[in-house]
Amino acid sequence: MNDKKSIINKLSKLLPDGQLLYRLEDLKPYECDALSAYQAVPLAVAIPDNIEQLKSILSLCYENNIPVVARGAGTGLSGGALPHKDGVLLSLAKFNKIITIDSKNHTAVVQPGVRNLAISEAVKELGLYYAPDPSSQIACSIGGNVAENAGGVHCLKYGLTVHNIIKLKVLTMDGDELTIGCDALDSPGYDLLALLTGSEGMLAIITEITVKLLPIPAVAKVMLASFDDIAVAGQAVSDVIAQGIIPAGLELMDNAAIKAADDFVHAGYPHDAAAILLCEIDGSVEEVNDQLRLAEKILKQSGATKIQIAKDEEQRAQFWAGRKAAFPAVGRLSPDYYCMDGTIPRHQISNVLKRISELSAEYKQTVVNVFHAGDGNLHPLILFDANNDGELERTEELGGKILDFCVEVGGTITGEHGVGIEKINQMCGQFNSDEITQFHSIKIAFDEKQLLNPGKNIPTLQRCAEFGAMHVHHGNLPHPELERF
Amino acid sequence: MSNDISNNLLKQISIAFNDKTPLRISAGNSKTFYGNHVNAQAINTLEHKGITEYQPSELVVTVRSGTLLSELESELKANKQMLAFEPPQHSEETTIGGIVACGLSGPRRAACGSVRDFVLGTTIINGRAEKCRFGGQVMKNVAGYDAARLMVGAQGTLGVLLDISLKILPVNESEISLKINTELSHAIKNLQQWTQQGLPVTASCFFKNTLYLRLGSTHSAVKQSLNTINNNFDTEEIDEAFWLSIKNQTHDFFTNANLWRCSHQMATRFYGDTDKQLLEWNGALRWINSEKDLYATADKHNGHAQRYPLTNSDETTDIFQPLQPGVLKIHKRLKQAFDPENILNPGRLYADL
Ligand SMILES: Cc1cc2nc3c(=O)[nH]c(=O)nc-3n(C[C@H](O)[C@H](O)[C@H](O)COP(=O)(O)OP(=O)(O)OC[C@H]3O[C@@H](n4cnc5c(N)ncnc54)[C@H](O)[C@@H]3O)c2cc1C
């Protein structure tokens, strides 16, 4: 058994001054990601700035069986980058260069620490952009986006991270440097690119990403539709899509979210509406005109009480500003909030919103809804005060019930924020023991010693048995050797 | 026609697992040519068929793997929807399971995405005879590893596909197909420019100094795009059936015995005799007639190649681009993870898998 000191000693030989943190006061800022309910202080934080340093850190950890948790910008909402107390937190923040931009093939090669928005900014003058736009895009890293398969407001039309990257370079824990995917539109062999996307730092460290760039659409127009009943707004979402329109974005906000956002950034939202839909159409001038007219007609027929089309770019930006600032705006309403991420079939939106409001009444806790309605990706924000005894636990219980209901109506516990540590128990409800065992064996195919981000993403069967949500196959736990963490 | 034989398939795989008997998975047998010959006991999924869930407004359809592609597509068409990756139909018996297992996409791929981009969930039986469901029926789902998309192109070596949920898209209000006489470099340059300008090119093909194009969007957008193109070129409208011959590979060109399918970035320099090539996907997909193998050449140009003789072959040579050693190692371990006894289509994709 290596003691802490000797590991830190060895690590410090691999990194220049300032790139290895091990004093408590230096470690503190890294003790959590954006899910601050979970905290742990790591053994050390390593901040390499080149691939050789990165390789040597991994190899040292591999030799000494030290857990490694990758961290991008730490904006994750499921505790994915929560440190391991006996492990190294590996920050990719210094891998922040855009390596090449290929204007002919519409691709860019970037390092994992590059901020999401920085890519679009860098290629803007070429008339291109990177489509996935999480609300955290000013801060979150593209490496973190790949690891979480991040989505955003424009996913409905342009897809998730997995649809917008073509190649990765990764390092495995046992020291292999792999190129995954290919510059072409397909690649030979298994689709490891899909497997690594959303793998939450469990399979390999992502060191380079080739992203796909899209031409900036000639026009984008946004429409703000007000409703006096949130269930009607929920149904309108399905109606628009049933008529053959794929909006670039289709977002729903309830009254509490409308007011909070509008008070915060003055987005021009109607405070008296029970719900609003923001519906954006983009494309060529003709296409946008045609579809906007059709969408307006459908929304009216579906019961919108008022429809405003942003009259210019400025008003469009203002309408979106409210949506993009909705989380921090809700943050002003309450000392803490808890963001859920269940995804459901669209036709269940009204049903699930009704259930959420029942649960909210039952738990006497306010739940604010602002979400990617077009994708059926809910983000109920449960307001609470962590300083009140037991309130976090109650909030987690309420959140868990919402997720269970999402699974019950044919959905999933997480659409884009990942499982991390937060939803590990709910995994037991969504997957059976064979499936969970299969996940563990995928992990072992990449990381035999299970050193990458241990304890996250996939629960042990033991945990599920204790949590009581899983039917254990034939009454015995298969592969007991897998339950190491 | 709907029929669920999953229990029967499970039983067969369970016996094979216990006896360590290798299985050759097939359905309509339309893609025997697409992979190495597997000498093993047959297991057939053709009778596992039917659309199990389809609500057009969800843009999702769930089907059993043995469902005929033609049946699925006609059901979608009746609702003005489509499989946007435009999968090839090599015979009347082509099934959706075969398409997903082989990961095949057609002319619309460059514009809309490939089959894996549209897979939302799969239910499989792995090599331990366990039924597992990965992914789901919703647009976004990051719970667990993406083992659903991993099945695409795995050719059954990781599991027998039972059910597949696919994202679908509405058909375009209007589509028009045309041809233009022009030379290769000019064609590619213009395709690049048009896509950059956002022209709704939903398919392209270049062959013998002719560029074939398909535009699709709303009526007025297609009309406007056509005007833009007509400003610089003489165009002639053609029957949309042309795309069937490309998609289904019934065009005369595909009868070539020494055919290679080479996949590249759109703007990759051309190699080989361009007079003997057929290009799709705005230049990214190149069908090349070549007597010598093109693995090294394709690799040098940052792409990959595969043999493509459209006939059944008993050859034991790999038909796909060899993998990097590190990547192959992961492939073998994944195979082990899903199929420890190596009973599912052994050797079909690569000799070692
Ligand atoms: C206000 C706010 C709004 C948000 N809105 C959205 C949204 O709209 N859509 C959305 O999808 N998410 C959203 N998020 C969540 C979060 O921003 C995303 O999950 C993002 O992708 C995380 O990126 P990061 O760089 O911060 O990663 P981190 O939080 O640092 O890490 C996330 C996970 O990725 C792993 N990881 C990071 N880098 C690497 C690497 N190089 N190699 C391997 N593994 C790595 C970590 O181990 C961890 O498991 C939001 C968060 C906040 C705070």
Side-chain angles (χ1 to χ4, degrees):
Chain A
M1 185 64 195
N2 289 283
D3 69 340
K4 249 173 144 171
K5 248 199 196 132
S6 98
I7 293 295
I8 288 173
N9 222 339
K10 286 180 191 163
L11 278 168
S12 65
K13 295 205 176 81
L14 306 176
L15 290 165
D17 269 0
Q19 287 178 224
L20 183 76
L21 312 177
Y22 49 86
R23 287 192 204 92
L24 187 62
E25 68 265 30
D26 295 334
L27 297 176
K28 271 279 177 192
Y30 292 90
E31 67 186 357
C32 65
D33 60 10
L35 180 71
S36 54
Y38 294 82
Q39 299 172 350
V41 175
L43 173 72
V45 175
I47 318 175
D49 63 12
N50 64 54
I51 197 86
E52 294 314 318
Q53 288 173 0
L54 189 52
K55 279 184 193 166
S56 62
I57 295 166
L58 290 185
S59 134
L60 180 84
C61 291
Y62 183 76
E63 299 293 314
N64 294 283
N65 298 317
I66 308 282
V68 175
V69 178
R71 178 181 167 110
T75 68
L77 288 169
S78 55
L82 173 75
H84 190 285
K85 71 174 179 32
D86 302 320
V88 169
L89 186 76
L90 182 68
S91 165
L92 280 307
K94 287 190 189 284
F95 285 81
N96 59 1
K97 286 170 203 65
I98 295 180
I99 301 168
T100 51
I101 294 168
D102 181 342
S103 60
K104 278 198 176 140
N105 289 304
H106 295 178
T107 57
V109 180
V110 301
Q111 290 188 324
V114 171
R115 287 176 307 116
N116 172 298
L117 189 60
I119 302 175
S120 290
E121 284 169 352
V123 299
K124 192 172 171 197
E125 59 182 29
L126 299 168
L128 301 171
Y129 76 115
Y130 175 66
D133 56 345
S135 310
S136 51
Q137 68 180 153
I138 45 168
C140 63
S141 75
I142 184 75
N145 290 171
V146 175
E148 297 286 12
N149 192 15
V153 164
H154 290 93
C155 285
L156 176 59
K157 183 165 176 185
Y158 296 105
L160 305 155
T161 305
V162 70
H163 302 110
N164 288 281
I165 58 173
I166 60 170
K167 193 166 90 175
L168 295 176
K169 282 196 181 155
V170 305
L171 283 175
T172 59
M173 209 53 214
D174 48 10
D176 280 336
E177 191 168 9
L178 309 177
T179 301
I180 304 291
C182 167
D183 290 328
L185 293 180
D186 47 29
S187 52
Y190 296 150
D191 197 336
L192 302 183
L193 188 66
L195 189 60
L196 279 155
T197 308
S199 65
E200 303 194 10
M202 303 280 294
L203 303 181
I205 302 294
I206 300 154
T207 59
E208 198 178 285
I209 301 125
T210 306
V211 299
K212 194 166 97 180
L213 303 171
L214 297 181
I216 297 172
V219 222
K221 292 213 165 146
V222 70
M223 181 157 42
L224 190 165
S226 310
F227 292 84
D228 53 19
D229 180 348
I230 191 166
V232 175
Q235 180 54 40
V237 171
S238 285
D239 295 344
V240 169
I241 287 164
Q243 294 291 321
I245 300 180
I246 307 284
L250 188 55
E251 300 282 308
L252 193 153
M253 295 169 78
D254 70 5
N255 180 264
I258 294 169
K259 282 192 201 144
D262 202 60
D263 288 343
F264 190 35
V265 296
H266 309 293
Y269 293 166
H271 282 227
D272 56 347
I276 58 168
L277 281 180
L278 284 175
C279 175
E280 177 151 295
I281 310 274
D282 69 8
S284 66
V285 178
E286 297 75 21
E287 192 184 357
V288 171
N289 284 342
D290 290 352
Q291 297 209 334
L292 206 61
R293 220 173 299 137
L294 182 56
E296 189 178 359
K297 196 173 120 201
I298 301 165
L299 287 170
K300 266 192 194 137
Q301 279 168 358
S302 301
T305 50
K306 189 177 166 199
I307 291 178
Q308 271 176 282
I309 297 173
K311 59 181 189 302
D312 50 23
E313 246 333 275
E314 195 184 329
Q315 194 174 28
R316 173 173 169 255
Q318 192 192 1
F319 283 175
W320 277 119
R323 168 61 186 92
K324 295 229 166 187
F327 285 16
V330 170
R332 299 184 341 147
L333 301 181
S334 155
D336 299 284
Y337 70 82
Y338 198 65
C339 174
M340 313 305 300
D341 181 40
T343 302
I344 53 170
R346 266 183 296 268
H347 67 272
Q348 292 283 356
I349 290 179
S350 303
N351 182 22
V352 175
L353 288 175
K354 190 167 143 256
R355 181 76 192 124
I356 291 176
S357 90
E358 286 166 11
L359 284 165
S360 158
E362 188 183 320
Y363 280 76
K364 299 198 179 56
Q365 274 180 272
T366 308
V367 182
V368 180
N369 286 291
V370 39
F371 62 96
H372 311 303
D375 296 312
N377 185 191
L378 307 173
H379 285 330
L381 303 172
I382 309 173
L383 309 190
F384 73 105
D385 184 347
N387 287 326
N388 293 345
D389 251 7
E391 217 168 289
L392 171 64
E393 291 70 25
R394 241 194 20 252
T395 301
E396 285 188 321
E397 191 182 304
L398 166 55
K401 288 210 169 151
I402 294 174
L403 294 186
D404 290 344
F405 195 66
C406 290
V407 175
E408 202 178 308
V409 300
T412 172
I413 57 172
T414 174
E416 58 182 19
H417 295 166
V419 173
I421 191 68
E422 180 208 14
K423 294 182 257 315
I424 196 126
N425 289 338
Q426 276 75 33
M427 283 291 283
C428 309
Q430 185 162 336
F431 295 99
N432 69 31
S433 60
D434 288 341
E435 290 154 354
I436 298 228
T437 305
Q438 187 65 75
F439 285 144
H440 283 297
S441 62
I442 292 173
K443 159 85 173 162
I444 286 170
F446 283 83
D447 175 20
E448 207 174 354
K449 288 187 168 186
Q450 305 193 73
L451 293 172
L452 283 174
N453 220 356
K456 309 277 181 68
N457 195 14
I458 313 294
T460 59
L461 292 179
Q462 197 126 37
R463 183 175 188 132
C464 287
E466 277 160 23
F467 181 66
M470 192 168 75
H471 167 72
V472 176
H473 201 53
H474 301 321
N476 47 27
L477 297 176
H479 300 273
E481 78 277 7
L482 297 179
E483 298 152 33
R484 294 194 23 194
F485 295 100
Chain B
M1 286 275 273
S2 190
N3 194 23
D4 180 354
I5 62 160
S6 55
N7 284 336
N8 178 307
L9 294 168
L10 201 58
K11 209 179 287 165
Q12 291 181 58
I13 296 169
S14 178
I15 294 170
F17 173 62
N18 288 326
D19 300 351
K20 304 187 185 3
T21 314
L23 296 172
R24 180 174 62 81
I25 311 158
S26 66
N29 271 316
S30 72
K31 278 176 285 296
T32 315
F33 73 93
Y34 195 82
N36 300 325
H37 184 71
V38 180
N39 194 0
Q41 186 181 312
I43 179 169
N44 192 288
T45 57
L46 198 56
E47 286 305 310
H48 187 63
K49 59 190 172 185
I51 296 173
T52 55
E53 227 175 304
Y54 177 37
Q55 277 198 35
S57 72
E58 286 298 312
L59 300 180
V60 178
V61 65
T62 301
V63 278
R64 297 203 180 101
S65 59
T67 311
L68 294 183
L69 179 63
S70 54
E71 214 177 287
L72 173 60
E73 289 199 307
S74 70
E75 179 67 25
L76 297 179
K77 199 169 167 192
N79 289 284
K80 295 196 188 147
Q81 295 186 327
M82 63 177 172
L83 297 175
F85 48 94
E86 212 174 359
Q89 166 121 30
H90 286 103
S91 86
E92 282 176 14
E93 299 250 275
T94 293
T95 63
I96 187 65
I99 291 294
V100 172
C102 292
L104 297 177
S105 308
R108 207 181 292 274
R109 192 269 172 255
C112 289
S114 69
V115 51
R116 69 83 105 148
D117 291 328
F118 290 90
V119 166
L120 299 173
T122 53
T123 305
I124 63 155
I125 303 173
N126 66 17
R128 283 185 297 269
E130 295 161 346
K131 193 168 154 179
C132 297
R133 178 170 178 262
F134 301 115
Q137 292 175 299
V138 288
M139 294 292 146
K140 296 162 93 170
N141 185 355
V142 294
Y145 302 116
D146 193 347
R149 286 196 177 88
L150 184 63
M151 296 302 137
V152 181
Q155 299 219 14
T157 58
L158 300 177
V160 174
L161 289 165
L162 289 179
D163 304 301
I164 303 151
S165 294
L166 293 162
K167 176 177 174 178
I168 49 186
L169 287 184
V171 296
N172 285 311
E173 183 182 292
S174 160
E175 279 204 329
I176 184 174
S177 297
L178 16 133
K179 69 175 184 186
I180 300 167
N181 286 324
T182 179
E183 48 120 8
L184 177 63
S185 60
H186 205 204
I188 298 296
K189 216 177 89 209
N190 277 286
L191 280 167
Q192 280 171 11
Q193 201 178 324
W194 293 331
T195 43
Q196 168 85 33
Q197 290 170 351
L199 255 61
V201 176
T202 65
S204 71
C205 172
F206 185 90
F207 181 58
K208 284 196 176 154
N209 287 327
T210 311
L211 173 63
Y212 302 84
L213 268 189
R214 188 175 62 195
L215 302 169
S217 181
T218 62
H219 287 299
S220 54
V222 168
K223 210 166 129 207
Q224 178 56 36
S225 310
L226 190 59
N227 287 342
T228 309
I229 294 173
N230 280 338
N231 282 340
N232 294 307
F233 290 99
D234 287 332
T235 61
E236 184 188 326
E237 195 169 331
I238 58 165
D239 194 321
E240 64 175 7
F242 169 78
W243 300 105
L244 284 178
S245 74
I246 299 300
K247 170 175 97 98
N248 298 339
Q249 293 152 359
T250 51
H251 189 281
D252 279 349
F253 180 82
F254 292 95
T255 55
N256 273 306
N258 299 309
L259 205 56
W260 287 80
R261 178 190 186 278
C262 299
S263 195
H264 290 281
Q265 277 187 314
M266 182 161 114
T268 300
R269 207 162 50 80
F270 290 96
Y271 57 84
D273 187 348
T274 48
D275 288 343
K276 290 190 185 153
Q277 301 186 9
L278 184 148
L279 310 178
E280 290 186 70
W281 301 356
N282 305 336
L285 181 61
R286 302 170 185 186
W287 299 94
I288 302 178
N289 200 6
S290 164
E291 280 181 21
K292 78 176 212 328
D293 97 40
L294 291 176
Y295 295 133
T297 318
D299 186 52
K300 207 173 77 196
H301 290 79
N302 296 325
H304 63 98
Q306 80 192 56
R307 288 172 201 276
Y308 211 91
L310 272 165
T311 50
N312 295 353
S313 81
D314 281 341
E315 276 182 73
T316 41
T317 42
D318 277 344
I319 69 166
F320 298 101
Q321 180 95 21
L323 301 173
Q324 272 181 6
V327 174
L328 181 62
K329 183 163 109 189
I330 295 285
H331 274 67
K332 286 185 191 164
R333 289 184 181 172
L334 280 171
K335 171 73 173 169
Q336 174 75 22
F338 280 85
D339 178 20
E341 298 297 347
N342 201 20
I343 56 169
L344 302 177
N345 268 354
R348 174 163 173 138
L349 190 59
Y350 286 99
D352 294 333
L353 300 178

